[in-house]
Amino acid sequence: MKPDEFMPNKTALVVGANGVIGRNLIDYLMTLPEWNIIGVSRRGGEDAGRLRYVAVDLLNEEDAFTELGKLTTVTHIFYAAYQDRPTWAELVPPNLAMLVNVVNAIEPIAPNLQHISLMQGFKVYGAHLGPFKTPARETDANHMPPEFNIDQQQFLEQRQPGTPWTWSALRPSVVSGFALGNPMNLAMVIAIYASMSKELGLPLRFPGKPGAYNSLLEMTDANLLARATVWAATDERCANQAFNITNGDLFRWNELWPKIATFFELDTAPPLPMSLEVVMADKESLWNFMVKKYDLSRNSYKDVSSWRFGDFVFSWDYDFFSDSSKARRLGFHDFIDTEKMFMDIFEEFRQRKVIP
């Protein structure tokens, strides 16, 4: 191998760098010597070797052009940014605008732009609205808008013809991995909820709808998703296509929940439907007490709270899974056991002193 083959020849722009998906994607790219990485977020980050950060308010078109318009070496855009809003309709304008601002800023000044990777999810299939067709397939028809994932993909589909770059869309199920201050972090929801249950001397009760305890689900490990994202962005067979990316197994909470309780050395009790956003609203003082008692990392209660997302996931009293065989047919064969995924993440939370 020639010496210059060890030198980075690709530059990844990871948009949404501090979220569960973006953080794990950066970690994976750092293991690949051919990549330079630029992380984009509102908060920025700490530069390290081939990784540097740019702080940008992507909703501010002028700021996006000013800060991103200098990044002439970008070859791949990995878009995983997200802005939360109270309603489905309100999600559309900001989330579409951020993607448009990124592409408008980078495309004219990055002559070697090869690919734009878009992170989506099962909302494309209407999974957030109620019982949907399972297994969901990439060829399934779109549903009645509003839906920002669909609008984002249509923007890329309309923009791409006649350009030298291609796009791909990744559709994971619920993504789990390490990240703080993220509004969609189910592993964090469970870990904090279980740790507080233990501190209060309570058994671990499943808080979702009765039917949700027995429905069939799947998850997506953030590290597996990172590998799939880079694969889809660099394999020419994947150009201009969408892919379901999941762990490869199915589970029901009624089987997994007692195993989670065992990890936290807790008993279980019958499920009791309750809104975590409501019942955990007054627990900041308990959290601060636990941080001091167990000498935990000084993470604010806000940064470890994703209760609204937990309520959302635990409300699915219908099957929630897709067909991910398309990715396997084109060459992506990675898989992970979902039970092991959760236990590994909980253990990482302990090692990082996020939980006792």
Side-chain angles (χ1 to χ4, degrees):
M1 184 175 288
K2 298 177 182 179
D4 60 356
E5 293 183 27
F6 288 100
M7 298 295 291
N9 55 25
K10 301 184 182 76
T11 298
L13 186 74
V14 180
V15 185
N18 290 328
V20 174
I21 293 172
R23 179 192 293 263
N24 283 274
L25 177 57
I26 287 174
D27 287 347
Y28 176 59
L29 288 168
M30 287 292 286
T31 70
L32 306 176
E34 66 269 27
W35 291 90
N36 284 315
I37 306 108
I38 304 170
V40 173
S41 72
R42 282 174 297 174
R43 302 192 302 270
E46 187 174 340
D47 297 351
R50 292 181 284 118
L51 168 65
R52 66 186 178 101
Y53 285 89
V54 178
V56 185
D57 177 4
L58 294 177
L59 287 175
N60 184 320
E61 185 177 3
E62 183 179 351
D63 194 34
F65 271 79
T66 299
E67 298 301 328
L68 302 182
K70 313 166 188 174
L71 307 178
T72 58
T73 62
V74 170
T75 59
H76 294 72
I77 298 172
F78 294 98
Y79 187 87
Y82 173 76
Q83 280 273 330
D84 199 18
R85 293 293 188 273
T87 68
W88 304 127
E90 289 175 275
L91 283 169
V92 176
N95 285 290
L96 179 59
M98 289 192 298
L99 174 63
V100 171
N101 287 343
V102 169
V103 176
N104 284 347
I106 294 294
E107 187 185 35
I109 56 91
N112 296 317
L113 181 64
Q114 299 173 27
H115 193 83
I116 299 175
S117 172
L118 176 65
M119 195 59 59
Q120 295 184 321
F122 285 9
K123 289 186 179 70
V124 169
Y125 304 122
H128 56 305
L129 301 175
F132 64 107
K133 183 185 82 63
T134 53
R137 293 186 172 90
E138 294 90 345
T139 53
D140 289 350
N142 291 340
H143 59 81
M144 181 68 73
E147 178 42 55
F148 75 88
N149 287 274
I150 294 172
D151 288 359
Q152 288 175 328
Q153 181 174 326
Q154 289 176 340
F155 164 71
L156 293 180
E157 289 174 336
Q158 294 165 7
R159 183 75 166 249
Q160 187 274 332
T163 71
W165 54 265
T166 57
W167 62 267
S168 60
L170 288 300
R171 298 175 179 174
S173 183
V174 177
V175 179
S176 291
F178 179 82
L180 295 167
N182 189 278
M184 298 189 295
N185 193 337
L186 184 65
M188 184 69 79
V189 169
I190 296 173
I192 302 301
Y193 174 62
S195 298
M196 288 187 165
S197 295
K198 187 172 184 178
E199 188 66 22
L200 295 171
L202 300 173
L204 189 65
R205 290 184 185 269
F206 181 76
K209 290 184 178 179
Y213 201 52
N214 302 313
S215 60
L216 198 59
L217 302 100
E218 63 186 350
M219 297 279 153
T220 302
D221 175 71
N223 294 315
L224 180 144
L225 179 59
R227 297 192 295 273
T229 301
V230 175
W231 162 76
T234 55
D235 190 322
E236 61 183 16
R237 295 173 299 175
C238 302
N240 304 327
Q241 297 185 66
F243 295 93
N244 294 328
I245 303 296
T246 62
N247 286 352
D249 61 357
L250 301 173
F251 73 96
R252 301 182 199 274
W253 288 118
N254 61 20
E255 182 180 11
L256 183 58
W257 198 257
K259 296 177 180 178
I260 292 174
T262 297
F263 177 90
F264 287 96
E265 300 176 323
L266 287 167
D267 294 327
T268 57
L272 181 64
M274 55 182 152
S275 167
L276 293 175
E277 191 172 23
V278 172
V279 301
M280 306 305 282
D282 66 341
K283 300 297 188 293
E284 183 171 5
S285 58
L286 173 62
W287 173 250
N288 292 336
F289 170 78
M290 291 171 62
V291 167
K292 185 175 182 180
K293 177 180 178 180
Y294 298 105
D295 192 25
L296 302 179
S297 297
R298 304 288 174 172
N299 297 309
S300 70
Y301 188 54
K302 179 182 178 182
D303 282 345
V304 299
S305 300
S306 307
W307 304 123
R308 185 181 174 208
F309 184 63
D311 287 339
F312 179 52
V313 174
F314 294 143
S315 72
W316 296 336
D317 53 359
Y318 46 88
D319 291 347
F320 194 99
F321 64 95
S322 70
D323 175 4
S324 57
S325 63
K326 179 182 177 182
R328 292 197 294 275
R329 288 194 299 273
L330 268 69
F332 184 77
H333 301 294
D334 289 19
F335 63 90
I336 186 171
D337 178 83
T338 295
E339 178 185 338
K340 183 178 187 301
M341 176 199 76
F342 273 115
M343 304 312 167
D344 287 348
I345 294 171
F346 296 152
E347 189 58 45
E348 182 176 5
F349 287 161
R350 278 185 175 166
Q351 291 176 0
R352 290 176 181 254
K353 304 203 76 175
V354 176
I355 60 173

